[in-house]
Amino acid sequence: MTAGTSLLGYPVQIGTATYGAADDPVDTAIMRAGVGNGLLHYADGAGQMRISACYQSGLLTGGGGSSGTVESTPNANQWYLLEGGILGPWPLTCYGDATGPSDFKGYPYRCRVYLRGKTTNASGSCVFALVLCPLGRSLEYLPAPSGAPSPPINFRDHVWISSAVTSTSFAWLTGASRGPLDFANAIQVRPELAQDWTTTENANETSSTLRTVDQVLVALHVYARTSNNAGVPTVSAVSLEEFGGR
Amino acid sequence: MSANVPHLRPVPEIDTAIRAGEPVRGDTWMGLGGLANWMNGHGSMIVPWHFSGHTISNGATDTYRYNVSPKAQTRMRVWVVLARANSVGGQLEIAAPSGASRTTYRLSTVRDRVVPVVFRELVTTSTGTQEITLDLKASGTGTVTVDAVSCYEQTRASIGLDTTDWGVDLESLRPRQPIFDAANVSHPGVCDAYDNLDARRTSLLQWSVPTGDSAHTTSASYLALFETPLRVLAPIRNVSLSPMDYVAYAYIKATGGSVFAQATTAAGAVSNSTSSTSYTWLNVGTLSVACEDLSASDGVPAGSVDTIKIEVKVGTGTRVDIAGVSVIRETKPQ
């Protein structure tokens, strides 16, 4: 684990007066602690808040929904997509060209995730899943629909599974990513998958200026299952924030 | 002339590559120039996904409004909407900005079969905090329920060698190229790009509903808008993890008298009031948000994530209506 890629962990601002004149010698300290360290530092913080979604409290009138559920009569032990359960696509921020330390090559930024949920009846124990992947691929990565989650699988730290939920009150859920990294509140896409998921996308700049860019477009899929259809899985909040750790 | 924007982030080695008394290789400079182009050329998430749950009546056009601070380099916004038809044959028409010509999408009625709708909006470059708008119309058969909305700035394929985009011509940094002093090239070009860098995590929270379906109350005590305070962190700033400033806004109006909005993080609350009887973006105040700790596996400092709580109340009037919230970083570089 690293505290980021910069030397200092904080930026050092420089002014144009310190480098601006022609024929000035280039000061090593400015280049190293200022420009080099600063660029790396700001890039470490360039991850984006991708999902900051919460239903309303119900204390105010109007304004949309107060929770998201699966189908009203779900079959037991079957994965269902939740209402509002495809949050994407958006472009995953990625490290990875041929420069620099090898442990950053190809890795997307890690994503901090939180999910707040409940069951509507304690007799129906619910399990929730977050799957970060391109649209149309999420079913490939869900664990078996029933029974206990299987052991960690390589390449699966982009899937997060909650502990079983029997509470009928909303709470931030505990869980773990399904790969060997076993993150409690984070998911990580392997570089091999990011490469496999890269597509070419429209990035036109005007109606007549046609451009494309390569991107790793992903969506967070929110699934849930219940042990007994008396208990319907329900969510109130989901968040996903990229950050530059590795 | 323009500067290519790399898809993958360069991580140039500087610890051993930039030292007093030793020459700096052209490859190192190219890595730094490419890193500056990567940050200035990649768009930000100006509207992180937010839940809606609002249902649009058949034939009605509802407008979603967001208060954002875009990057100056942006030429395209990508709106992504997750919506369901409530009757077979339901359609969603989308326009951005509000009032522009609409594009029609056929929707599924089955919750497990919905597909997000992607709408691309070409924009002219602009800076400063501003309102952006999205029209959603339910057409075809029946009503449409909007489950969630988001918008991101599309990455540029290349950025200009000018003082808007601050691109760096990487060819001028190749090994054996001369060092010279001109805009957007060579070593001063990298320094200029650094001084004018925009690498912001622009939005921590955005929420909007059409004004016809505003959240409202007559309570004289603060009531929370959301079911729970949202979990957020600002980007790493320094080793002591001092908080970073974000500005909270509420799209709000009063029905007589004055109304208040309040935003709260672990560092404290800010609040402001308005007597406007028409909707206005009220600057609630500047929030201090805890910063990430990149030495932790989840980036959370001391095991505690910050939260943002949004509340409203009536002051002296009879009712407060709120139809939008934004928490944004307005100032560069981060």
Side-chain angles (χ1 to χ4, degrees):
Chain A
M1 178 48 60
T2 172
T5 62
S6 73
L7 291 177
L8 304 174
Y10 56 87
V12 177
Q13 290 301 134
I14 60 173
T16 53
T18 59
Y19 66 88
D23 304 323
D24 272 0
V26 179
D27 182 88
T28 305
I30 290 174
M31 294 301 110
R32 178 182 163 91
V35 179
N37 167 74
L39 284 168
L40 290 165
H41 170 81
Y42 287 127
D44 284 346
Q48 299 293 309
M49 173 66 85
R50 299 292 183 182
I51 301 166
S52 186
C54 186
Y55 284 103
Q56 288 181 59
S57 62
L59 300 175
L60 284 73
T61 304
S66 58
S67 64
T69 67
V70 299
E71 303 289 350
S72 57
T73 52
N75 292 323
N77 296 319
Q78 179 174 324
W79 289 114
Y80 286 90
L81 199 60
L82 277 129
E83 196 173 4
I86 305 178
L87 299 169
W90 40 266
L92 188 61
T93 305
C94 295
Y95 291 109
D97 72 356
T99 61
S102 60
D103 61 341
F104 287 97
K105 286 175 184 167
Y107 271 91
Y109 279 34
R110 193 170 290 168
C111 300
R112 185 167 43 251
V113 292
Y114 295 104
L115 178 64
R116 189 170 170 88
K118 69 175 185 179
T119 177
T120 57
N121 188 313
S123 67
S125 171
C126 297
V127 174
F128 296 77
L130 301 174
V131 183
L132 186 68
C133 66
L135 293 176
R137 303 282 297 270
S138 58
L139 292 177
E140 297 174 30
Y141 303 113
L142 279 174
S146 60
S150 46
I153 301 171
N154 202 9
F155 293 89
R156 292 290 169 85
D157 278 306
H158 61 288
V159 178
W160 182 92
I161 306 290
S162 79
S163 304
V165 176
T166 55
S167 173
T168 56
S169 300
F170 281 122
W172 293 107
L173 305 183
T174 58
S177 63
R178 290 206 68 228
L181 296 174
D182 195 29
F183 291 132
N185 288 311
I187 50 184
Q188 172 82 66
V189 174
R190 291 280 306 177
E192 298 87 343
L193 287 173
Q195 183 175 1
D196 184 41
W197 296 346
T198 302
T199 54
T200 301
E201 299 297 323
N202 178 327
N204 293 347
E205 297 183 356
T206 69
S207 58
S208 60
T209 310
L210 308 182
R211 297 279 188 274
T212 61
V213 291
D214 289 345
Q215 290 182 316
V216 183
L217 286 183
V218 293
L220 188 71
H221 301 74
V222 187
Y223 283 90
R225 69 181 193 221
T226 178
S227 64
N228 177 334
N229 64 16
V232 178
T234 307
V235 298
S236 70
V238 184
S239 73
L240 183 148
E241 190 170 19
E242 297 173 322
F243 65 102
R246 245 277 309 117
Chain B
M1 293 286 287
S2 60
N4 287 339
V5 176
H7 159 49
L8 302 173
R9 181 198 141 176
V11 190
E13 168 60 44
I14 63 170
D15 191 19
T16 59
I18 305 178
R19 292 187 172 208
E22 296 179 10
V24 180
R25 299 168 65 222
D27 287 346
T28 301
W29 281 107
M30 288 188 71
L32 293 173
L35 185 56
N37 289 343
W38 181 84
M39 276 184 274
N40 280 325
H42 275 248
S44 69
M45 194 81 182
I46 51 174
V47 179
W49 278 95
H50 72 85
F51 288 139
S52 174
H54 168 69
T55 296
I56 307 172
S57 303
N58 183 256
T61 301
D62 288 341
T63 302
Y64 285 69
R65 298 173 185 277
Y66 300 92
N67 188 63
V68 301
S69 182
K71 292 180 74 165
Q73 294 86 355
T74 302
R75 299 285 184 88
M76 177 193 281
R77 294 188 189 118
V78 182
W79 294 89
V80 191
V81 179
L82 187 65
R84 287 176 282 131
N86 294 310
S87 302
V88 174
Q91 297 175 342
L92 181 68
E93 297 182 20
I94 299 183
S98 177
S101 61
R102 294 189 293 266
T103 303
T104 303
Y105 302 82
R106 181 64 65 90
L107 299 178
S108 172
T109 59
V110 181
R111 194 171 301 179
D112 286 61
R113 293 182 195 158
V114 294
V115 177
V117 170
V118 178
F119 179 85
R120 296 178 177 87
E121 176 192 9
L122 293 173
V123 298
T124 54
T125 56
S126 61
T127 58
T129 301
Q130 58 196 266
E131 181 183 83
I132 60 173
T133 54
L134 175 73
D135 277 353
L136 299 179
K137 178 181 180 181
S139 61
T141 306
T143 60
V144 167
T145 297
V146 179
D147 284 330
V149 181
S150 75
C151 181
Y152 64 86
E153 298 168 329
Q154 181 61 296
T155 296
R156 298 273 300 276
S158 59
I159 53 177
L161 302 181
D162 53 44
T163 55
T164 298
D165 290 351
W166 294 106
V168 181
D169 181 6
L170 298 187
E171 293 303 314
S172 68
L173 295 167
R174 284 197 179 282
R176 306 189 202 295
Q177 289 293 309
I179 299 172
F180 55 101
D181 186 13
N184 302 103
V185 298
S186 198
H187 303 175
V190 177
C191 296
D192 286 339
Y194 175 59
D195 260 358
N196 295 279
L197 201 63
D198 191 349
R200 288 173 297 153
R201 186 173 298 171
T202 53
S203 294
L204 290 184
L205 167 63
Q206 296 277 358
W207 174 81
S208 177
V209 289
T211 52
D213 189 20
S214 63
H216 54 88
T217 181
T218 57
S219 171
S221 302
Y222 276 120
L223 295 181
L225 175 62
F226 298 116
E227 190 277 327
T228 188
L230 285 112
R231 290 186 161 183
V232 298
L233 284 174
I236 181 174
R237 172 172 268 187
N238 61 33
V239 287
S240 63
L241 298 172
S242 61
M244 181 178 287
D245 291 341
Y246 277 78
V247 183
Y249 291 87
Y251 195 57
I252 197 170
K253 76 168 185 177
T255 303
S258 62
V259 295
F260 286 79
Q262 177 169 279
T264 308
T265 64
V270 294
S271 64
N272 201 355
S273 67
T274 179
S275 299
S276 174
T277 54
S278 58
Y279 279 100
T280 183
W281 281 107
L282 173 69
N283 184 329
V284 178
T286 301
L287 285 167
S288 291
V289 180
C291 296
E292 291 166 341
D293 176 0
L294 298 188
S295 64
S297 66
D298 57 3
V300 176
S304 179
V305 66
D306 208 345
T307 59
I308 295 177
K309 184 178 187 180
I310 305 293
E311 299 167 291
V312 293
K313 71 174 183 179
V314 168
T316 58
T318 57
R319 169 170 148 164
V320 53
D321 285 72
I322 182 167
V325 172
S326 78
V327 179
I328 56 176
R329 172 78 179 168
E330 296 178 312
T331 49
K332 295 191 296 182
Q334 195 183 63

